[in-house]
């Protein structure tokens, strides 16, 4: 036997609608019930007051008082036929007929009926307790007698000219009449309640539709799952994610975006007023295509940013801006370029070394041993390998020697002579090769490009490097000049450090990393407490522009070198004295 599948649970919006309808219906019913009860009680109280007024009128009638006293003074009670034809019966029925009361009953001091709408009840004791009225108190009552439920009053009848109670008058109005009055009054209440119920139903439907639109038709469980997934994804990826809502406010700013841009959480901030690079904001403005991307330098990093429009079934949800870090890729590219340059230099020097070996072998083969020894002595004095860099011996640090030598080979292949300035003095050792490579390499590459593009026939790049012990670690000072034509006339000194600025004559490939070298070099230097500045924009026909970089904390061992030099001088002085 196949089991029937359980029915699908109601959607949250449907449950909300049914709950709202139930609440509205309950409120309407309670309101209508309370109003009906208050109306019933009010009409009943009015009937009691009306009965009390009529009872007082009848009880205060002199003829009624006299007739009741006369009957009370008689021995026994007159027969029912006599009472039916008597004056009390006539007075009571006249009052009842005139006012529309259910009954007007007159009794003697013992509670026996002297007047009653039903003649057969005359002479009998009343069905309700008359003791309070016979004791001289006026009372209002709601009870059920021989004529049905009623709201009435009991008033004592006094003997003429005396305070002696000789009977009582009981007047009642039918509660059915009261109910009819309530039914007439409850009509507008029911109409109002129906209108309120219809308005509540309509409001519930509108609220249900708005709730579905705000939640995109998702159930609470689905929304909760989406929130957990969003947190897991946004916090788990290395890319920066910025969400911009349709109203122009930042709705998402994950931890990676905060780290890449070096900014606090900007969630809730207006997108156009946020402290973000204007290039990043331009991605969400009219103009760029859906796949538009740009490179920018922010927080000391080279970032690639792109933006996409977020849509859900034709509904505009805003923008999603993605940030990817290319800093490490740029640094790796720079290091690979340096390795490639070194490889090219070593390949060129390998040919030179092979030629030297062939020369020695030739001298040995023809028996010129003395010339071979002299040639070897000359090689030992100058070194087997020689980079095409003038005064390279001023760079005592092996890393700087190798890197600048490789750059010299690369420049030499392009027809540019790389030389070391006479003021160069490096006594310590480089401790942060990565930042030094980025800054120094960018400055030398820019200078070589400027020298190649310049109009001077003698193409050169001059580099001066100095170290300073300082108080917070050794500082490396770098000055680079070239023989190019300098910057264009009117170029702002700060504009050259803007992202995307380039003096390349050819077209710049989008996303190729051009125009970011100086900006990245300056940010790296400033992050260390230093700077990169333009000292001289250069002149047409040469010399070209002059740049200076200051890199604190990149040199170590300077003090030891100074102490070693001082110790050697002291030792030399003692030897001379001794």
């Amino acid at each position: 036997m196949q089991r029937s599948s359980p029915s699908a649970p109601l959607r949250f919006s449907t449950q909300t609608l049914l709950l709202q309808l139930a609440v509205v219906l309950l409120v309407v019913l309670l309101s209508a019930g309370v109003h009906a009860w208050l109306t019933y009680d009010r009409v009943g109280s009015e009937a009691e007051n009306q009965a009390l007024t009529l009872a007082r009128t009848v009880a205060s009638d002199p003829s009624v008082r006299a007739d009741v006293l006369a009957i009370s003074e008689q021995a026994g009670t007159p027969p029912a036929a006599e009472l039916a034809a008597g004056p009390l019966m006539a007075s009571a029925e006249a009052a009842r007929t005139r006012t529309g009361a259910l009954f007007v009953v007159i009794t003697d001091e013992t509670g026996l009926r002297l007047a009653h709408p039903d003649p057969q009840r005359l002479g009998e004791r009343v069905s309700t307790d008359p003791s309070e009225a016979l004791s001289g108190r006026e009372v209002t009552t709601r009870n059920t007698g021989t004529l049905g439920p009623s709201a009435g009053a009991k008033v004592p009848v006094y003997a003429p000219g005396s305070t002696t109670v000789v009977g009582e008058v009981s007047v009642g109005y039918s509660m059915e009449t009261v109910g009819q009055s309530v039914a007439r009054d409850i009509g507008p209440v029911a109409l109002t309640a129906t209108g309120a119920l219809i308005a509540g139903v309509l409001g519930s439907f509108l609220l249900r539709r708005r709730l579905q639109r705000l939640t995109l038709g998702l159930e609470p469980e689905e929304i909760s799952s989406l929130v957990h997934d969003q947190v897991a994804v946004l916090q788990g990826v290395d890319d920066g994610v910025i969400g911009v809502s349709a109203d122009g406010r930042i709705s998402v700013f994950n931890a990676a975006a905060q780290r890449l841009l070096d900014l606090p959480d900007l969630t809730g901030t207006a997108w156009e007023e946020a402290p973000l690079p204007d290039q990043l904001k331009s991605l969400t403005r009219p103009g760029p295509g859906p796949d538009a991307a740009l490179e920018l330098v922010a927080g000391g990093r080279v970032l690639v940013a792109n933006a996409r429009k977020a849509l859900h079934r034709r509904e505009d949800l805003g923008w999603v801006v993605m940030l990817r870090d290319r800093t490490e890729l740029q640094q790796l590219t720079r290091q690979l370029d340096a390795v490639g340059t070194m490889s090219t230099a070593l390949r060129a020097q390998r040919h030179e070394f092979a030629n030297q070996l062939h020369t020695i072998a030739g001298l040995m083969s023809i028996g010129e041993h003395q010339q071979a020894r002299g040639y070897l002595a000359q090689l030992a004095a100058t070194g087997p390998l020689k980079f095409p860099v003038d005064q390279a011996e001023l760079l005592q640090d092996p890393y700087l020697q190798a890197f600048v030598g490789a750059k010299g080979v690369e420049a030499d292949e392009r027809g540019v002579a790389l030389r070391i300035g006479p003021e160069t003095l490096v006594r310590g050792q480089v401790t942060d090769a990565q930042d030094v490579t980025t800054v120094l390499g960018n400055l030398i590459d820019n200078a070589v490009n400027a020298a190649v593009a310049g109009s001077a026939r003698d193409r050169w790049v001059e580099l001066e490097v100095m170290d300073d012990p300082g108080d917070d670690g050794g500082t490396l000072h770098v000055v680079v000049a070239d023989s190019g034509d300098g910057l264009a006339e009117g170029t702002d000194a700060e504009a050259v450090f803007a992202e995307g600025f380039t003096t390349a004559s050819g077209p710049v490939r989008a996303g190729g990393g051009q125009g970011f070298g100086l900006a990245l070099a300056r940010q790296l230097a400033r992050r260390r407490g230093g700077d990169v500045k333009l000292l001289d924009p250069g002149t047409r026909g040469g010399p070209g522009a002059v740049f200076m970089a200051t890199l604190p904390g990149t040199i170590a061992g300077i003090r030891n070198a100074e102490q070693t030099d001082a110790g050697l001088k002291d030792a030399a002085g003692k030897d001379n004295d001794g």
Side-chain angles (χ1 to χ4, degrees):
M1 178 179 180
Q2 184 179 4
R3 297 179 59 184
S4 59
S5 59
S7 59
L10 294 177
R11 296 177 60 84
F12 176 74
S13 56
T14 304
Q15 295 177 4
T16 303
L17 174 63
L18 295 178
L19 179 61
Q20 290 171 342
L21 292 179
V23 171
V24 171
L25 180 61
L26 179 62
V27 171
V28 169
L29 291 179
L30 286 177
S31 300
V34 170
H35 186 81
W37 168 253
L38 293 176
T39 302
Y40 180 82
D41 185 68
R42 176 180 57 80
V43 175
S45 297
E46 291 176 355
E48 290 176 355
N49 293 333
Q50 187 176 1
L52 181 61
T53 300
L54 179 59
R56 287 173 177 174
T57 301
V58 174
S60 61
D61 188 354
S63 61
V64 171
R65 295 172 68 183
D67 291 339
V68 173
L69 176 62
I71 295 175
S72 297
E73 290 178 344
Q74 294 178 9
T77 303
E82 182 180 346
L83 292 174
L88 288 178
M89 186 66 173
S91 299
E93 284 300 300
R96 184 182 69 83
T97 304
R98 184 176 64 252
T99 60
L102 177 64
F103 61 84
V104 176
V105 178
I106 302 175
T107 70
D108 60 10
E109 77 281 6
T110 61
L112 298 179
R113 298 187 182 100
L114 303 180
H116 191 275
D118 186 1
Q120 296 181 0
R121 301 289 183 180
L122 294 175
E124 298 179 357
R125 185 174 177 81
V126 293
S127 58
T128 57
D129 184 15
S131 59
E132 291 189 56
L134 294 176
S135 62
R137 293 191 298 273
E138 295 180 349
V139 295
T140 57
T141 60
R142 292 186 190 181
N143 48 41
T144 302
T146 57
L147 298 178
S150 63
K154 295 180 181 294
V155 175
V157 178
Y158 296 99
S162 173
T163 58
T164 302
V165 177
V166 293
E168 57 98 10
V169 176
S170 178
V171 178
Y173 284 89
S174 174
M175 293 300 293
E176 296 179 356
T177 304
V178 173
Q180 294 174 357
S181 177
V182 172
R184 289 195 303 270
D185 293 343
I186 207 66
V189 176
L191 184 61
T192 303
T194 303
L197 183 60
I198 294 174
V201 171
L202 180 61
S204 299
F205 273 107
L206 294 177
L207 183 60
R208 176 174 179 264
R209 292 192 60 181
R210 176 169 174 79
L211 184 62
Q212 286 181 329
R213 184 172 64 84
L214 291 177
T215 60
L216 305 179
L218 299 176
E219 295 298 304
E221 297 80 5
E222 296 174 330
I223 296 176
S224 176
S225 177
L226 284 177
V227 170
H228 287 97
D229 293 344
Q230 180 191 38
V231 172
V233 171
L234 292 180
Q235 302 304 325
V237 297
D238 292 332
D239 294 342
V241 180
I242 304 176
V244 183
S245 61
D247 61 354
R249 292 197 169 271
I250 298 177
S251 56
V252 176
F253 201 82
N254 71 340
Q258 299 174 39
R259 174 177 55 83
L260 294 176
L261 295 173
D262 195 19
L263 290 172
D265 189 0
L266 299 179
T267 302
T269 307
W271 172 247
E272 291 295 337
E273 299 175 3
L276 296 169
D278 191 66
Q279 290 175 288
L280 198 60
K281 298 177 184 178
S282 66
L283 289 174
T284 61
R285 296 169 184 162
D291 297 323
L294 58 84
E295 288 185 349
L296 70 154
V297 178
R301 298 175 181 272
V302 178
L303 305 178
V304 177
N306 68 320
R308 287 186 178 274
K309 195 71 174 175
L311 299 173
H312 179 76
R313 301 175 181 170
R314 298 186 180 182
E315 183 177 0
D316 183 6
L317 302 181
W319 290 86
V320 177
V321 180
M322 300 293 297
L323 300 173
R324 297 176 179 85
D325 189 3
R326 287 194 56 181
T327 305
E328 295 181 357
L329 181 59
Q330 289 276 351
Q331 294 171 349
L332 181 59
T333 302
R334 177 66 60 184
Q335 293 174 0
L336 290 176
D337 289 343
V339 171
T341 303
M342 293 288 291
S343 299
T344 302
L346 291 176
R347 185 169 59 252
Q349 296 297 333
R350 179 177 62 83
H351 291 288
E352 182 182 351
F353 187 68
N355 292 333
Q356 293 171 353
L357 290 179
H358 291 157
T359 301
I360 296 172
L363 291 173
M364 295 294 292
S365 64
I366 63 176
E368 296 292 338
H369 303 288
Q370 186 63 32
Q371 291 186 10
R373 282 195 296 270
Y375 186 66
L376 286 174
Q378 183 182 0
L379 291 180
T382 60
L385 298 177
K386 184 179 180 180
F387 291 117
V389 178
D390 294 340
Q391 299 184 359
E393 64 275 3
L394 294 176
L395 298 174
Q396 298 182 13
D397 178 72
Y399 172 78
L400 288 178
Q401 288 181 354
F403 182 73
V404 174
K407 286 295 180 183
V409 174
E410 189 178 54
D412 185 65
E413 291 180 350
R414 300 182 65 185
V416 179
L418 178 60
R419 64 194 185 202
I420 305 299
E423 300 296 328
T424 296
L425 178 60
V426 178
R427 297 156 294 177
Q429 294 181 348
V430 173
T431 57
D432 194 337
Q434 188 169 336
D435 283 359
V436 172
T437 298
T438 301
V439 176
L440 186 57
N442 273 309
L443 294 180
I444 295 177
D445 289 345
N446 290 343
V448 171
N449 292 334
V452 171
S455 58
R457 298 183 61 183
D458 183 17
R459 299 173 178 176
W460 52 265
V461 171
E462 183 170 291
L463 169 68
E464 287 190 349
V465 185
M466 292 160 283
D467 56 13
D468 178 12
D471 296 329
D472 301 326
T475 300
L476 191 67
H477 302 276
V478 178
V479 178
V480 179
D482 60 72
S483 61
D485 293 335
L487 299 176
E489 185 177 354
T491 303
D492 183 39
E494 292 298 317
V496 299
F497 296 101
E499 294 91 341
F501 179 87
T502 179
T503 58
S505 58
V508 177
R509 179 173 58 87
Q514 290 178 285
F516 293 93
L518 287 175
L520 180 59
R522 168 175 272 192
Q523 289 212 15
L524 289 176
R526 287 183 171 180
R527 190 169 60 186
R528 305 186 67 93
D531 204 353
V532 177
K533 298 180 180 179
L534 174 65
L535 296 183
D536 189 346
T539 57
R540 183 69 179 176
V546 180
F547 286 88
M548 182 185 74
T550 305
L551 299 173
T554 56
I555 293 291
I558 302 177
R559 295 186 183 275
N560 293 335
E562 291 179 340
Q563 293 172 0
T564 302
D565 293 342
L568 291 175
K569 291 179 180 179
D570 292 342
K574 290 180 181 180
D575 291 341
N576 293 334
D577 293 339

